[in-house]
Amino acid sequence: MLHGSETDSGLMANGPVVGPATSPIHSAVPRLRDYTVYTPGGSRTPCAFFLTDLCYTLDEHGNSSKIPAWPYILEDAQAFQDGVDRHVEKTRQMMISWLTAAEHLWGVMFIHGYAGFLASCKEKLVDDGGENSTPNSLMGRIRYIYDRLPDEIRDWAPLSFSHLRIHCPAQSSFIVGEGTSPNMGRGGTWTRTELAKGDPAAWPRGGASEVAIGTVRGKRFFVTDEPFHGNQVVVYTQAPDGTWPRNVIDSEINNAHSLALIDVDGDGTSEIVSGGTRGAAGAARGTKPGVFFYRAADPAAQKWERMVLDPNIASNSCVVADINGDRRPDVACIDDSLKWYENAR
């Protein structure tokens, strides 16, 4: 089950600070603060500091060396930290794949709730072995760098490696990977396919707003709030003829504005969380419409049980994360305060 409690400090927690220590790799380990806090006037940002002070690469001859503090590397690290999109035309000597691996490693270890994605034309180039991956893959390069960090850093934010996934419970962060197609990164094209029109009403009451994708017994479905700021939660599962019939599971939600999926009991089936931002038309100002929890009641995901998660919230957004590090996903929603709904199954 999920139960709720308000948090005073939100989801971000301040990590411990460690002082200088010895390591097989470094004679002194700077404080963790150097990799998380920007110091005005400093020559390197936290991400760049982490890359050039702690991260080791491997060349084609098997020689290991630190990532150098070259200007384009410092600039790229700054852009990564600032969330700026980059397009890099590279040579093999520029170490861009190592740079990408190190930047994602910094993100997953030092940013709470970080979500990273790696892709290439072949799955084995993304991950060639999970916990036994090698530097021949992107995730293997992350593991290579991570394994050579000082113990004090790894102990502060330990990672687990599995196939196409890297997880940091301490930060509720992760990196996932995917092998796409031979066209990935080689000028490939995208094909636009309409799955459903959403609410069939005429504009501006038609269509959909929030969309999320989940699974029921290994079968994929997607769920929407319809229409924009609407009153419906709608589930789409694929029929044998390839179409996606529209199944309205709730038509009494008010001004729907939040949507998230959670596997609350770890059975591989997604449950739905959705809520609204304000009361129905004519309701008193400040009315809070609540957040609701939906569980599939049959194997085909045609029937859903509706439960009240919190009747006293006007939710602008809900997210799912393991907030307390107990390896169970929780829910957090925000209106004028942040609420945490702990998974107590």
Side-chain angles (χ1 to χ4, degrees):
M1 62 176 291
L2 294 171
H3 64 81
S5 60
E6 292 196 31
T7 57
D8 295 327
S9 59
L11 300 182
M12 181 64 72
N14 293 321
V17 176
V18 298
T22 58
S23 162
I25 299 176
H26 305 283
S27 59
V29 178
R31 295 183 307 162
L32 286 168
R33 180 181 177 86
D34 292 332
Y35 309 122
T36 57
V37 178
Y38 174 68
T39 302
S43 60
R44 291 178 288 180
T45 60
C47 181
F49 204 151
F50 175 78
L51 266 60
T52 58
D53 192 60
L54 294 182
C55 296
Y56 278 68
T57 69
L58 191 68
D59 67 19
E60 63 271 23
H61 304 296
N63 300 315
S64 185
S65 60
K66 281 186 184 180
I67 292 179
W70 294 337
Y72 79 85
I73 287 178
L74 301 181
E75 291 171 5
D76 195 82
Q78 174 71 69
F80 178 86
Q81 180 174 318
D82 293 342
V84 177
D85 292 333
R86 291 99 66 215
H87 172 79
V88 181
E89 295 185 4
K90 68 182 184 71
T91 66
R92 293 188 180 276
Q93 289 72 35
M94 290 177 66
M95 302 189 303
I96 294 299
S97 61
W98 282 102
L99 176 60
T100 299
E103 289 170 341
H104 277 284
L105 179 59
W106 176 81
V108 79
M109 294 185 72
F110 292 100
I111 300 177
H112 188 87
Y114 179 80
F117 176 70
L118 295 169
S120 189
C121 59
K122 295 180 180 179
E123 186 174 291
K124 69 179 182 179
L125 296 178
V126 181
D127 188 352
D128 62 350
E131 63 180 4
N132 298 310
S133 57
T134 75
N136 293 321
S137 67
L138 290 170
M139 288 190 164
R141 293 188 176 191
I142 293 176
R143 194 174 75 86
Y144 179 90
I145 298 170
Y146 172 76
D147 285 347
R148 284 153 183 79
L149 294 177
D151 293 343
E152 294 81 2
I153 303 295
R154 288 189 286 112
D155 291 345
W156 184 71
L159 303 185
S160 63
F161 292 80
S162 57
H163 186 56
L164 294 175
R165 184 175 177 86
I166 300 170
H167 181 220
C168 180
Q171 294 285 24
S172 295
S173 57
F174 63 89
I175 303 168
V176 294
E178 182 177 317
T180 54
S181 76
N183 289 326
M184 178 67 186
R186 290 175 169 80
T189 59
W190 292 83
T191 301
R192 181 175 182 266
T193 302
E194 181 181 279
L195 300 180
K197 293 184 179 297
D199 191 310
W203 187 90
R205 296 299 302 167
S209 53
E210 285 75 23
V211 180
I213 300 174
T215 57
V216 172
R217 296 191 174 219
K219 184 177 181 180
R220 183 172 296 181
F221 73 90
F222 67 94
V223 57
T224 63
D225 285 338
E226 298 183 8
F228 182 71
H229 285 191
N231 65 323
Q232 303 167 7
V233 179
V234 184
V235 169
Y236 295 84
T237 54
Q238 192 169 27
D241 63 359
T243 60
W244 295 82
R246 184 171 182 263
N247 178 19
V248 180
I249 66 171
D250 189 356
S251 60
E252 297 180 357
I253 197 166
N254 291 310
N255 294 286
H257 202 278
S258 56
L259 183 64
L261 293 176
I262 178 173
D263 181 2
V264 71
D265 50 10
D267 65 353
T269 290
S270 305
E271 287 81 39
I272 301 167
V273 176
S274 186
T277 56
R278 56 185 183 274
R285 184 177 180 81
T287 298
K288 298 194 174 188
V291 172
F292 304 92
F293 181 85
Y294 307 84
R295 186 193 299 272
D298 69 319
Q302 296 303 300
K303 297 179 180 179
W304 292 74
E305 298 174 354
R306 179 186 192 258
M307 291 161 272
V308 178
L309 182 58
D310 187 345
N312 299 310
I313 185 172
S315 175
N316 288 293
S317 179
C318 291
V319 296
V320 172
D322 179 8
I323 295 172
N324 57 354
D326 64 357
R327 299 182 183 274
R328 295 192 293 261
D330 308 306
V331 175
C333 299
I334 189 168
D335 59 358
D336 54 358
S337 65
L338 182 63
K339 288 189 174 183
W340 163 29
Y341 306 94
E342 182 182 2
N343 184 347
R345 63 175 171 81

